[in-house]
């Protein structure tokens, strides 16, 4: 039952963050596409985005899970094109900005222009945490369009604080207005987050914002997001109901409640966000997005969260436990874009364990397991 009350706590806690202003950015309709195997309809997108807009969410990301250019054999095909999703959602917004994800090499500037034409006004230009130098043209083009432009350093645990600062400085020099520490594996602990955000804050211009994007694989999404704010972040990504890859993103209704208790200003109507999580997001889930054996393994081993369903598919095909595959992927330090190596890793493990003979291996490969 929906409440008519507006969510603010009568019992404020004491906090050194009281009065800090933080912008929330919902990922349900992009990162959540991974958990839905890209199968969210345009109607579902409009319904959920409308509820988020009504609750005061300032940024809502809307694309294929892999972003612009994501529709492919490797990443799967969504029910509609990115343009169709963006245009439908943008037409419903009263105050929220529609954002998109762009990974240079997967998404192109032509697709960024098409997203802008459809109504997108903010973009995460995403690279691996050591490859910011692949993003200057895309960041510059986004700024030329007048978009709110962020540099998004994925798998940030694979670079140390000094390295993240160097990469962030590059993105700022290309024109990024915000630089993100992105915990794609849900591997980081609060001290890891603080160290990297502090390093960025020390080298970036005062007007350049810092963001944090977390996954909840170790159950640290809330704590890590608070740690990021303590170190200087002013933008926090997450997903209402936690709908995202792996164990999901930082659950935003929970985070908003914590912020309210700490006196951090988000501008969010908490009770509306709670209702959205319970009444719209939860019924959308094909499986309960939570910390379970496999998603916990992602966080424990430092594996890209979007590998979860790929690893489960490989586990079914080759008889190797998904946890074992994920541990091996973590040992190899696989990164986003290497999804094809999941199958290869599972096949190699199955062969080593005597579960797959050469003729069977050839047959399975030809069948496109």
């Amino acid at each position: 039952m929906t409440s008519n009350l507006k969510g603010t706590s009568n019992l404020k806690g004491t906090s050194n963050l009281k009065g800090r202003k933080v912008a929330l950015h919902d990922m349900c309709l992009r990162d959540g596409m991974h958990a839905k195997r890209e199968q969210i309809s345009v109607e579902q997108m409009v319904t959920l985005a409308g509820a988020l807009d009504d609750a005061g969410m300032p940024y809502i990301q809307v694309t294929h899970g892999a972003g612009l250019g994501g529709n492919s054999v490797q990443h799967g095909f969504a029910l509609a094109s990115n343009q169709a999703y963006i245009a439908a959602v943008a037409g419903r917004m009263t105050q929220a900005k529609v954002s998109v994800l762009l990974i240079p090499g997967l998404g192109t500037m032509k697709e960024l222009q098409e997203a802008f034409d459809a109504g997108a006004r903010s973009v995460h230009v995403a690279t691996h945490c050591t490859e910011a130098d692949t993003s200057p043209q895309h960041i510059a083009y986004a700024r030329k369009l007048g978009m709110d432009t962020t540099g998004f350093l994925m798998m940030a645990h694979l670079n140390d604080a000094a390295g993240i600062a160097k990469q962030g400085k590059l993105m700022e020099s290309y024109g990024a207005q915000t630089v993100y520490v992105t915990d794609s594996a849900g591997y980081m602990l609060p001290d890891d987050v603080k160290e990297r955000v502090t390093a960025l804050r020390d080298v970036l211009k005062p007007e350049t914002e810092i963001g944090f994007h977390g996954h909840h694989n170790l159950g640290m999404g809330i704590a890590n997001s608070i740690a990021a704010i303590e170190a200087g972040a002013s933008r926090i990504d997450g997903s209402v109901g936690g709908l995202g890859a792996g164990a999901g993103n930082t659950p935003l209704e929970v985070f908003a409640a914590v912020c309210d208790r700490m006196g951090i200003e988000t501008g969010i109507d908490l009770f509306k966000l709670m209702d959205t999580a319970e009444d719209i997001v939860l019924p959308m889930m094909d499986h309960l997005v939570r910390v379970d054996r496999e998603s916990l393994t992602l966080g424990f081993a430092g594996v890209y969260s979007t590998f979860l369903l790929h690893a489960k598919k490989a586990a079914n095909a080759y008889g190797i436990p998904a946890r074992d595959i994920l541990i091996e992927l973590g040992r190899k330090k696989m990164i986003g874009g290497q999804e094809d190596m999941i199958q290869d890793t599972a096949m190699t493990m199955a062969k080593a364990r005597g579960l797959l003979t050469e003729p069977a291996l050839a047959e399975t490969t030809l069948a496109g397991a």
Side-chain angles (χ1 to χ4, degrees), residues 174-195:
Y174 305 149
Q177 298 154 298
T178 305
V179 177
Y180 266 76
V181 173
T182 305
D183 185 16
S184 314
Y187 177 84
M188 296 167 76
L189 301 175
D191 284 349
D192 302 322
V193 177
K194 279 186 181 178
E195 187 180 30

Side-chain angles (χ1 to χ4, degrees), residues 258-295:
V258 172
C259 286
D260 186 82
R261 289 280 286 112
M262 297 182 73
I264 300 170
E265 298 176 14
T266 63
I268 294 292
D269 184 323
L270 174 60
F271 285 177
K272 284 188 176 179
L273 216 56
M274 289 181 182
D275 292 341
T276 300
E278 199 73 17
D279 299 335
I280 299 177
V281 175
L282 190 59
M284 283 176 59
M285 291 183 179
D286 297 331
H287 64 278
L288 193 58
V289 177
R290 66 180 182 89
V291 181
D292 60 12
R293 179 176 53 200
E294 284 77 24
S295 60

Side-chain angles (χ1 to χ4, degrees), residues 66-84:
L68 303 181
N71 280 297
S72 64
V73 171
Q74 178 154 339
H75 297 285
F77 291 91
L79 293 176
S81 68
N82 279 320
Q83 287 173 277

Side-chain angles (χ1 to χ4, degrees), residues 93 324 361 364:
M93 297 298 95
D324 293 7
L361 177 62
T364 304

Side-chain angles (χ1 to χ4, degrees), residues 21-362:
K21 297 184 188 311
V22 173
L24 305 189
H25 196 151
D26 187 85
M27 296 285 126
C28 282
L29 300 177
R30 199 280 298 168
D31 222 320
M33 286 283 269
H34 292 299
K36 288 283 296 178
R37 300 181 189 275
E38 316 299 336
Q39 303 303 293
I40 298 179
S41 70
V42 171
E43 292 75 17
Q44 287 175 311
M45 284 215 170
V46 172
T47 298
L48 176 51
L52 294 170
D53 182 58
D54 292 343
M57 188 65 62
Y59 298 95
I60 299 171
Q61 193 152 94
V62 177
T63 60
H64 182 285
L68 303 181
N71 280 297
S72 64
V73 171
Q74 178 154 339
H75 297 285
F77 291 91
L79 293 176
S81 68
N82 279 320
Q83 287 173 277
Y85 283 134
I86 294 165
V89 170
R92 167 64 178 79
M93 297 298 95
T94 62
Q95 56 80 30
K97 282 185 178 178
V98 174
S99 79
V100 296
L101 178 79
L102 186 152
I103 301 173
L106 187 58
T108 65
M109 285 181 276
K110 175 178 179 291
E111 286 162 324
L112 183 59
Q113 178 71 57
E114 291 170 347
F116 177 82
D117 292 342
R121 292 294 179 266
S122 177
V123 57
H124 280 349
V125 179
T127 75
H128 183 63
C129 62
T130 59
E131 297 176 351
D133 60 354
T134 62
S135 67
Q137 291 173 313
H138 297 80
I139 288 176
Y141 197 74
R143 289 300 307 276
K144 180 182 175 183
L145 292 172
M147 300 179 78
D148 168 68
T149 305
T150 73
F152 195 72
L153 292 167
M154 300 187 292
M155 297 288 279
H157 72 283
L158 292 177
N159 203 348
D160 61 19
I164 290 291
K166 183 178 179 182
Q167 297 293 310
K169 192 66 181 171
L170 282 176
M171 286 180 154
E172 182 187 65
S173 74
Y174 305 149
Q177 298 154 298
T178 305
V179 177
Y180 266 76
V181 173
T182 305
D183 185 16
S184 314
Y187 177 84
M188 296 167 76
L189 301 175
D191 284 349
D192 302 322
V193 177
K194 279 186 181 178
E195 187 180 30
R196 285 161 177 76
V197 173
T198 298
L200 278 174
R201 189 68 284 160
D202 287 345
V203 300
L204 298 180
K205 299 173 185 174
E207 63 269 27
T208 301
E209 291 192 84
I210 297 173
F212 177 72
H213 175 110
H215 283 264
H216 208 48
N217 301 332
L218 289 178
M220 301 301 290
I222 304 293
N224 283 346
S225 298
I226 293 296
I229 296 170
E230 287 177 337
S234 55
R235 293 198 186 197
I236 298 296
D237 285 8
S239 295
V240 172
L243 180 58
N249 300 105
T250 301
L252 281 184
E253 74 281 12
V254 184
F255 181 69
V258 172
C259 286
D260 186 82
R261 289 280 286 112
M262 297 182 73
I264 300 170
E265 298 176 14
T266 63
I268 294 292
D269 184 323
L270 174 60
F271 285 177
K272 284 188 176 179
L273 216 56
M274 289 181 182
D275 292 341
T276 300
E278 199 73 17
D279 299 335
I280 299 177
V281 175
L282 190 59
M284 283 176 59
M285 291 183 179
D286 297 331
H287 64 278
L288 193 58
V289 177
R290 66 180 182 89
V291 181
D292 60 12
R293 179 176 53 200
E294 284 77 24
S295 60
L296 175 57
T297 305
L298 293 169
F300 177 73
V303 178
Y304 197 51
S305 290
T306 59
F307 285 2
L308 177 62
L309 298 186
H310 295 283
K312 286 185 174 181
K313 182 178 178 181
N316 289 333
Y318 302 108
I320 300 292
R323 180 171 56 191
D324 293 7
I325 297 171
L326 292 168
I327 290 289
E328 181 64 8
L329 294 174
R331 189 188 67 78
K332 291 181 175 180
K333 292 185 168 50
M334 294 290 183
I335 63 173
Q338 294 183 310
E339 284 81 354
D340 55 333
M341 293 300 293
I342 299 171
Q343 292 284 330
D344 183 77
T345 297
M347 282 193 291
T348 301
M349 294 175 75
K351 188 177 177 183
R353 296 183 186 190
L355 300 174
L356 203 58
T357 61
E358 288 291 351
L361 177 62

